[in-house]
């Protein structure tokens, strides 16, 4: 323990990028869902965006399934992005930011075939839950169901699936700037300053009561 702390401190002093951390369990008191979470760091002092995912328990590994994503964002963030399969290109992307009233959260489903600004993607739909969507003086958070985030077609027309009981490689992106037309989910947006990857452990995020809880949250 002692030496681990010192090695961590020395690495921090040298300015090394932190190694990607393992997912941890987060039991959300608001929604009642169990999430697995990772933090996408955008500053070396530990500031980051927290990404949580909740998965239904009984699902087939090679079939689409709904998930719930909860994102906790420091107010200084302009927009934050999540790549469901760990890269900018050829996987469902989500970008989130706040509307100009600093109250409403905008979610934008995107896709990009290369490293150019992603365009609206109709293959994923997000349903925001009022429960689990809130803010205070330092952070805002959003909780939404996604249909169409765990499966998609690759460019050859084959189906790809995120594994409900294993690790899936994901990525995030951060910009200090808000999109140019912040009240619209089809706004253009500025390129990210930071991106990072990790393996998100979906197996920690299984919820036996997923369907019932989601039904209650969206009614
Ligand atoms: C949801 C939004 C976005 C996510 C999650 C995302 C994620 C990423 C990631 C993970 C990379 C590293 C390469 C890779 O793994 O594919 C990357 C590279 C890149 N992205 Fe994005 N991105 C997003 C939006 C944008 C936007 C809006 C722009 C332009 C306006 C952009 C332009 C680029 C460029 C030019 C690169 C290559 C630069 C480099 O490798 O240093 N991205 N992106
Ligand atoms: C924008 O929001 C509308 C209404 O919720 C939704 O139907 C549409 O798919 C969203 N577009 C994007 C790009 O997320
Ligand atoms: C502010 O809200 C965020 C997101 O919900 C939460 O993680 C954080 O603990 C809250 N801070 C305080 C001081 O309550």
């Amino acid at each position: 323990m002692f030496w681990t702390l010192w090695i961590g401190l020395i690495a921090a002093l040298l300015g090394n990028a932190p190694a990607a951390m393992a997912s941890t369990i987060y039991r959300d008191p608001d929604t009642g869902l169990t999430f697995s979470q990772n933090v996408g760091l955008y500053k070396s002092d530990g500031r980051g965006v927290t990404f949580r995912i909740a998965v239904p328990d009984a699902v087939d590994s090679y079939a689409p399934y709904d998930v719930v994503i909860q994102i906790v964002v420091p107010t200084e963030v302009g927009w934050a992005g999540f790549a469901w399969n760990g890269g900018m290109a050829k996987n469902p992307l989500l970008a989130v930011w706040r509307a100009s009233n600093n109250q409403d959260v905008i979610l934008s489903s995107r896709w990009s075939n290369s490293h150019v600004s992603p365009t609206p993607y109709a293959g994923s739909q997000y349903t925001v839950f009022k429960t689990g969507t809130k803010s205070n003086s330092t952070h805002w958070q959003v909780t939404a169901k996604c249909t169409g985030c765990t499966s998609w077609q690759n460019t050859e027309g084959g189906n790809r699936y995120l594994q409900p009981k294993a690790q899936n490689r994901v990525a995030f992106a951060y910009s200090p700037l808000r999109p140019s037309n912040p009240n619209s989910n089809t706004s253009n947006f500025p390129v990210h300053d930071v991106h990072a990857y990790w393996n998100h452990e979906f197996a920690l995020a299984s919820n036996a009561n997923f369907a019932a809880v989601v039904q209650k949250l969206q009614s």
Side-chain angles (χ1 to χ4, degrees):
M1 183 61 178
F2 178 80
W3 286 109
T4 322
L5 279 173
W6 275 104
I7 290 162
L9 181 62
I10 290 162
L13 289 172
L14 292 173
N16 292 349
M21 304 280 282
S23 304
T24 56
I25 292 187
Y26 179 74
R27 293 194 174 82
D28 183 24
D30 295 342
T31 60
L33 290 167
T34 297
F35 292 85
S36 63
Q37 73 168 29
N38 286 72
V39 181
L41 294 177
Y42 60 84
K43 295 283 184 201
S44 54
D45 64 8
R47 275 175 277 169
V49 178
T50 301
F51 293 90
R52 299 177 177 144
I53 293 170
V55 180
D57 187 19
V59 282
D60 192 325
S61 297
Y62 295 96
Y65 53 95
D66 290 354
V67 288
V68 173
I69 182 165
Q70 182 173 79
I71 309 177
V72 182
V73 190
T75 47
E76 67 185 359
V77 171
W79 67 266
F82 187 70
W84 286 93
N85 199 36
M88 178 154 175
K90 300 179 183 175
N91 66 154
L93 302 173
L94 168 64
V96 293
W97 62 85
R98 285 218 290 187
S100 52
N101 64 8
N102 282 336
Q103 296 292 326
D104 302 329
V105 180
I106 309 293
L107 286 81
S108 185
S109 167
R110 301 282 172 136
W111 181 278
S112 180
N113 281 324
S114 61
H115 290 152
V116 296
S117 201
T119 52
Y121 171 60
S124 310
Q125 291 97 34
Y126 294 89
T127 307
V128 174
F129 297 148
K130 281 206 187 85
T131 304
T133 299
K134 60 185 184 181
S135 65
N136 56 31
S137 60
T138 60
H139 293 77
W140 52 272
Q141 75 170 55
V142 61
T143 305
K145 178 183 83 172
C146 182
T147 301
C149 286
T150 60
S151 76
W152 63 96
Q153 285 207 326
N154 65 20
T155 37
E156 291 77 44
N159 291 318
R160 298 287 316 276
Y161 301 100
L162 297 184
Q163 294 305 302
K165 292 269 162 58
Q167 295 186 346
N168 294 287
R169 189 166 173 77
V170 300
F172 99 110
Y174 152 84
S175 169
L177 303 173
R178 239 186 271 204
S180 51
N181 184 9
N183 299 337
S184 164
N185 68 5
T186 57
S187 175
N188 288 329
F189 50 117
V191 66
H192 35 81
D193 283 17
V194 176
H195 69 263
Y197 311 93
W198 64 86
N199 295 318
H200 205 106
E201 182 55 270
F202 279 36
L204 291 176
S206 281
N207 287 265
N209 54 352
F210 186 90
V213 173
V214 162
Q215 172 124 46
K216 211 175 111 208
L217 289 169
Q218 66 193 11
S219 62

